[in-house]
C-alpha cells in the first residue's frame, strides 16, 4: 500500500507540474442565448486529437497550441453544433461561444459520472439521468417511482428504512452490518450506501444519475454492479425560489419550497429548501391505525463561497426525519379478524396496532473545496460526516396472533474524506487521480418477543394459528406426545423477550486513477484503476432481555431463547487488499453519435456474519466480470436514442435466504454462497421532441439473470437455473409531454405515462406462490400554467387503472411456512399548486 501511495504521489506531482506550463492558449466560456453556462459542453479542434469539456462554470481551455489557423467545433445536446474558424496568436487567446436557442429541442444534460463535467453523450458508460424537470413533469417524489423510468433499475420499498436497489438483476442487501452494498448510492459525491439511510426525499433535486455495470474505479468499493447519484440543487447568483402545496386522497398533505439568496454579489450564495409530506396508510389495521403511510420532514441548507477567482467552497447540510406507521405484512395462509384473506381488501389484523412503526433520522454535512490551476486542472477536497438511525417494528406472522413480534434498530456514523486532482495533458488526456478514506461505525439490534401459546402453531405447523374468523387460537401447553420426552405437556410462556446485538467497524483506504485518451480523431480509450485496503470488525452477542425463558427454546436448541442462542460477545476481524479496474474504447461517428465497448471488474467484499446459533461465518468476496457495448446518438437535436447490451459473469455469488433449521438452531435471514451465476440483456432509451410543446419518451429493458446449473467444481447448484429475485425479464415505460397555449401566457399541459414489467420472484429460491405476475401502472399529471405569474395548478394520479399487485412476499413468516405479503398502493390522486419567484 505504501508503494502504491508513493506512485500516486509522483503521478500527481508530474501532472501538477504539467498544469503549470504556460504556452499559447485559447480559453473561453460556453453559454446559451439566455446567457446560461453549459457545463460539460464538448469543444474540439477539428482534424486533431485535441478535445476538452467545459467545466462547471462553462469554461474551457486549450494550451500548448501552435500559432496559426484552427477550426473549433463546440457541441451540446439540444443545440445546433457551432463550427468556428479562429487564428491563434502568440500568448493568451479568448473565444466565447454562444449557442442559439431553438423552439424544438432535446433537454441538454450534464453529468459528472467520470468526476468531471461532461455532456451525457460523451460518457462511454450506460447511464440514465432523471432531471428535476422530468421529476416535476411526472410527479416523481420517491426513488421507487423514479426507477420505473430507468431501464435495468428496480427499487423495492417495503419501508423507508430498508429499500432494495436492483441493477441488472443484482440486489443490494445488507444482512450484516459489515456487509457492503452491490449498488453504491452517492449524495453530492459522498457515499451513503448503508441501506437504512439510502432512500432520501427527492426535493429540490438537480438530477439523479444511474450508472449500470461495475463502477468501482469511479464510485468506489460499493459500486459492484452500478451506482445511484443524488445531486441536489446548488446556490446560484440569482434570487429566486418556489413554494408548492398539495393535498390528496388518504389525507395526503404536502408542502415544499426553496429560496436562493445571493448574500454577497459574486462571492457568497445560499439556498434553503424543505419538505413536509404526510399520507395516511392505505392498509387499515383492525387493531387500530393504518399501515404503509408516510410522515416525512426534511430540510437542506447549502452555501457557495468564492473567496478568489480560482477557489470555490460548497457546504451542504441535510436533515430528514421519517415517522411512519408500520408495514402491512399480511399472512398468505390465514384470514384477518373480518374473515378475509384477499390482500386487495387492504385490511390487516396485526395485534400490536399503533405500536407498529418504521422510521429513520438522518443528519449529514458535506464540505467541498476546489482550487483551480486553470479551467481543466484543479484540486478537489470532499469532507463529509453522516449520522443515521432507523427503527422498524413489525408483525412477522401477519395475523391477530402474537406469534412473531419483532423489531430492528440500526445506526451508523460515517466519515468520508476524498482528495482528487483533475488534469488535462496536451488537451487529449483528461482524467482524475486521488485517494479517499471512509470510516463507519454501524450497529444492528434485533428484538423478538413471541407469545409461545401462539408461536407453537407455527413451530409445529398445526394449521391452527388463528380460527376461520381470524381470532388467535392459543395452545397453553406442549402436546402430551411421548416423542417430546420430558417436554411433553410443559406449559408455554406468554411473555418472552430476546435480542441480538451486532456492532461493526468498517474502514477503507483507496487510491484511484481514471482517464480518457484521444487515440485518433475518432477513437478514444478510457481506463481506470482503484486499489482498496479494507478492514472489518464485527461483534455479536445475544441474550434474553425479559419475561420467562422460552419453552420452545428446548426444541430449537437455543434455550433460554428461541431464535438467538445466548452467549458472550464474539468477534470476527477481516482485512483485504482489492484491485478493480475498467477499460474501454469509444468510436465517434461525429459529434452527435458514438459507439463504445468496455470491460470492468466488480467486487463485493467478504461478508462477515454470525448465525443465530452464534457460529461465525466469512463468505468469500463476490466477483463480477462485466462486458458492455453501447450506442448513443442525438439526431437533429430533437431525437435521442441510446442502446446498451451487457454480459455479467459472477463468481461466489452471494444470495440472501431465510433459514429455519431446528437441528442447528438456525432461524435467521442470512447471506449464503450461491456459487456461479450470470446475467445478460439489453437496455434502450428514446426521447423525441416532435414539435414545440409535444415530446415523447420511453425505455425498454431485457434482463436474463440466472444461476448456473453447476458450481466451479461441476457440482449441481441448489438454485440451478433460478431467476434472480426482483428481476423481470422484460420491462418498459412510455409517456408523452404535451403543453399547449390556450391564451396569452396561459398553457394547458399533461403528462400521461405507463410502466410495465413481467413476472418476478421475491426470493432467489423461486418458491412457487412467492411471486408477482406481470402488471403495469398508468400515471398522469396535468393542469394549467400561468407563465407570466409563474403559477402552476396541477392534478395528478397514480395507478389510475387500479392494478392489484404485491411489493413483497415471503418475509419472516416464511421461516415457519407462513409467508406474508404486502399489497402495492391502490389508486391515488391529488392536486398541487406551485409558485416560482
Amino acid at each position: 500500500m505504501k508503494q502504491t501511495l508513493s506512485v500516486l504521489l509522483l503521478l500527481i506531482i508530474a501532472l501538477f507540474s504539467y498544469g503549470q506550463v504556460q504556452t499559447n492558449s485559447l480559453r473561453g466560456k460556453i453559454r446559451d442565448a439566455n446567457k446560461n453556462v453549459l457545463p460539460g459542453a464538448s469543444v474540439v479542434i477539428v482534424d486533431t486529437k485535441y478535445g476538452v469539456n467545459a467545466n462547471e462554470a462553462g469554461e474551457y481551455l486549450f494550451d500548448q497550441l501552435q500559432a496559426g489557423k484552427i477550426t473549433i467545433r463546440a457541441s451540446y445536446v439540444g443545440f445546433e453544433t457551432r463550427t468556428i474558424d479562429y487564428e491563434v496568436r502568440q500568448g493568451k487567446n479568448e473565444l466565447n461561444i454562444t449557442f442559439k436557442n431553438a423552439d424544438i429541442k432535446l433537454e441538454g444534460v450534464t453529468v459528472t459520472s467520470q468526476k468531471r463535467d461532461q455532456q451525457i453523450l460523451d460518457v462511454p458508460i450506460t447511464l440514465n439521468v432523471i432531471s428535476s424537470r422530468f421529476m416535476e413533469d411526472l410527479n416523481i417524489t420517491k426513488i421507487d417511482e423514479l426507477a420505473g423510468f430507468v431501464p435495468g433499475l428496480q427499487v423495492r420499498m417495503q419501508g423507508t428504512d430498508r429499500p432494495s436497489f436492483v441493477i441488472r438483476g443484482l440486489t443490494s442487501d445488507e444482512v450484516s452490518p459489515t456487509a457492503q452494498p452491490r449498488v453504491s448510492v452517492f449524495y453530492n459525491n459522498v457515499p451513503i450506501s448503508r441501506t437504512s439511510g439510502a432512500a432520501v426525499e427527492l426535493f429540490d433535486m438537480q438530477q439523479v444519475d444511474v450508472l449500470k455495470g461495475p463502477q468501482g474505479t469511479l464510485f468506489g468499493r460499493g459500486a459492484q454492479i452500478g451506482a445511484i447519484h443524488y445531486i441536489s440543487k446548488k446556490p446560484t447568483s440569482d434570487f429566486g425560489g418556489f413554494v408548492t402545496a398539495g393535498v390528496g386522497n388518504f389525507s395526503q398533505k404536502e408542502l415544499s419550497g426553496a429560496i436562493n439568496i445571493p448574500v454577497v454579489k459574486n462571492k457568497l450564495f445560499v439556498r434553503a429548501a424543505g419538505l413536509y409530506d404526510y399520507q395516511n396508510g392505505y392498509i387499515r389495521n383492525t387493531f387500530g391505525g393504518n399501515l404503509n403511510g408516510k410522515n416525512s420532514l426534511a430540510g437542506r441548507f447549502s452555501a457557495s463561497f468564492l473567496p478568489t477567482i480560482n477557489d470555490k467552497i460548497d457546504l451542504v447540510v441535510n436533515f430528514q426525519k421519517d415517522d411512519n406507521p408500520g408495514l402491512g405484512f399480511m399472512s398468505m395462509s390465514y384470514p384477518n379478524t373480518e374473515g378475509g384473506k384477499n390482500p386487495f381488501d387492504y385490511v390487516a389484523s396485526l395485534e400490536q396496532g399503533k405500536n407498529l412503526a418504521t422510521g429513520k433520522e438522518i443528519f449529514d454535512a458535506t464540505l467541498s473545496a476546489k482550487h483551480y490551476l486553470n479551467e481543466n486542472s484543479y484540486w478537489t477536497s470532499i469532507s463529509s460526516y453522516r449520522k443515521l438511525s432507523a427503527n422498524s417494528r413489525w408483525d412477522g406472522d401477519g395475523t391477530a396472533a402474537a406469534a412473531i413480534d419483532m423489531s430492528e434498530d440500526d445506526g451508523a456514523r460515517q466519515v468520508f474524506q476524498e482528495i482528487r486532482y483533475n488534469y488535462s495533458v496536451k488537451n487529449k488526456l483528461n482524467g482524475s487521480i486521488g485517494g479517499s478514506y471512509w470510516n463507519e461505525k454501524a450497529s444492528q439490534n434485533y428484538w423478538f418477543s413471541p407469545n409461545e401459546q401462539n408461536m407453537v402453531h407455527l413451530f409445529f405447523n398445526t394449521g391452527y394459528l388463528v380460527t376461520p374468523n381470524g381470532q388467535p387460537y392459543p395452545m397453553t401447553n406442549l402436546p402430551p406426545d411421548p416423542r417430546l420426552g420430558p417436554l411433553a405437556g410443559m406449559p408455554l410462556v406468554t411473555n418472552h423477550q430476546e435480542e441480538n446485538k451486532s456492532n461493526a467497524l468498517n474502514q477503507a483506504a483507496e487510491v484511484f486513477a481514471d482517464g480518457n485518451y484521444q487515440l485518433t480523431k475518432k477513437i478514444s480509450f478510457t481506463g481506470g484503476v482503484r486499489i482498496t485496503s479494507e478492514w472489518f470488525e464485527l461483534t455479536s452477542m445475544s441474550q434474553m432481555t425479559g419475561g420467562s425463558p422460552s419453552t420452545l427454546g428446548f426444541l430449537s436448541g437455543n434455550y433460554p431463547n428461541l431464535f438467538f442462542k445466548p452467549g458472550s460477545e464474539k468477534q470476527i476481524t477481516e482485512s483485504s487488499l482489492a484491485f478493480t479496474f475498467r477499460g474501454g474504447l469509444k468510436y465517434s461517428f461525429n459529434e452527435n453519435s458514438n459507439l463504445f465497448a468496455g470491460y470492468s471488474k466488480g467486487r463485493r467484499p467478504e461478508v462477515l456474519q454470525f448465525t443465530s446459533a452464534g457460529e461465525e461465518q466469512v463468505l468469500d468476496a463476490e466477483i463480477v466480470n462485466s462486458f458492455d457495448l453501447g450506442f448513443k446518438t442525438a439526431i437533429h437535436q430533437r431525437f435521442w436514442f441510446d442502446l446498451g447490451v451487457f454480459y455479467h459473469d459472477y463468481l461466489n455469488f452471494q444470495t440472501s435466504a431465510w433459514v429455519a433449521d431446528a437441528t442447528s438452531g438456525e432461524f435467521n435471514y442470512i447471506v449464503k454462497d450461491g456459487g456461479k451465476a450470470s446475467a445478460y440483456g439489453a437496455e434502450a432509451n428514446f426521447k423525441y421532441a416532435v414539435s414545440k410543446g409535444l415530446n415523447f419518451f420511453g425505455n425498454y429493458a431485457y434482463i436474463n439473470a440466472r444461476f448456473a446449473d453447476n458450481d466451479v467444481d461441476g457440482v449441481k447448484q441448489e438454485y440451478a437455473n433460478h431467476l434472480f429475485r426482483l428481476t423481470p425479464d422484460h420491462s418498459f415505460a412510455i409517456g408523452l409531454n404535451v403543453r399547449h397555449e390556450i391564451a396569452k401566457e396561459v398553457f394547458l399541459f399533461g403528462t400521461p405515462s405507463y410502466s410495465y414489467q413481467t413476472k418476478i420472484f421475491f426470493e432467489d429460491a423461486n418458491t412457487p406462490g412467492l411471486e408477482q405476475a406481470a402488471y403495469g401502472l398508468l400515471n398522469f399529471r396535468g393542469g394549467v400554467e400561468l407563465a407570466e405569474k409563474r403559477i402552476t395548478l396541477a392534478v395528478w394520479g397514480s395507478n389510475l387503472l387500479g392494478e392489484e399487485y404485491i411489493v413483497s412476499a415471503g418475509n419472516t413468516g416464511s421461516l415457519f411456512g407462513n409467508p406474508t405479503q404486502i399489497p402495492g398502493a391502490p389508486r391515488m390522486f391529488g392536486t398541487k399548486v406551485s409558485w416560482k419567484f
Side-chain angles (χ1 to χ4, degrees), residues 585-597:
L585 292 172
K586 183 179 75 171
Y587 179 83
S588 297
F589 299 98
N590 51 49
E591 70 273 17
N592 294 316
S593 302
N594 61 66
L595 179 73
F596 62 90

Side-chain angles (χ1 to χ4, degrees), residues 361-522:
E361 188 170 310
I362 301 172
F363 171 82
D364 65 60
T366 301
L367 183 67
S368 302
K370 284 187 177 181
H371 174 67
Y372 285 88
L373 304 175
N374 57 47
E375 288 83 345
N376 300 329
S377 302
Y378 51 91
W379 289 93
T380 301
S381 171
I382 301 173
S383 307
S384 177
Y385 172 81
R386 194 167 206 254
K387 183 178 181 180
L388 67 94
S389 60
N391 63 278
S392 180
R393 185 173 180 181
W394 70 94
D395 187 316
D397 56 83
T399 71
I404 306 178
D405 181 12
M406 296 193 73
S407 73
E408 178 183 358
D409 290 277
D410 297 329
R413 188 274 298 143
Q414 300 169 334
V415 176
F416 176 74
Q417 175 64 54
E418 178 178 288
I419 296 177
R420 182 174 68 247
Y421 178 65
N422 282 70
Y423 59 85
S424 179
V425 178
K426 295 185 178 180
N427 310 310
K428 57 184 179 181
L429 174 60
N430 301 283
S432 62
I433 189 168
S436 66
Y437 173 72
W438 173 79
N439 179 293
E440 178 189 54
K441 291 183 179 179
S443 63
Q444 184 181 64
N445 297 338
Y446 282 111
W447 174 85
F448 174 50
S449 178
N451 179 334
E452 292 196 334
Q453 295 185 4
N454 299 138
M455 183 67 194
V456 65
H457 292 290
L458 296 180
F459 207 82
F460 287 99
N461 194 23
T462 66
Y464 295 104
L465 179 62
V466 296
T467 63
N469 64 353
Q471 299 299 322
Y473 188 75
M475 181 187 297
T476 59
N477 298 74
L478 284 173
D481 189 329
R483 289 174 296 180
L484 294 176
L487 300 179
M490 180 175 284
L492 295 166
V493 303
T494 59
N495 179 22
H496 168 77
Q497 298 173 41
E498 60 187 72
E499 70 176 1
N500 171 261
K501 291 184 175 183
S502 298
N503 291 281
L505 175 61
N506 307 313
Q507 301 179 81
E510 301 178 282
V511 293
F512 55 85
D514 196 90
N516 176 272
Y517 182 73
Q518 197 70 33
L519 296 169
T520 71
K521 290 184 293 184
K522 291 184 176 292

Side-chain angles (χ1 to χ4, degrees), residues 614-626:
E615 297 177 358
E616 66 177 59
Q617 293 182 343
V618 178
L619 273 68
D620 291 336
E622 180 181 83
I623 303 297
V624 58
N625 292 292
S626 172

Side-chain angles (χ1 to χ4, degrees), residues 76-89:
Y76 192 76
V77 172
F79 296 91
E80 185 178 343
T81 299
R82 292 288 315 276
T83 301
I84 303 169
D85 292 326
Y86 186 83
E87 184 164 356
V88 177
R89 300 179 299 276

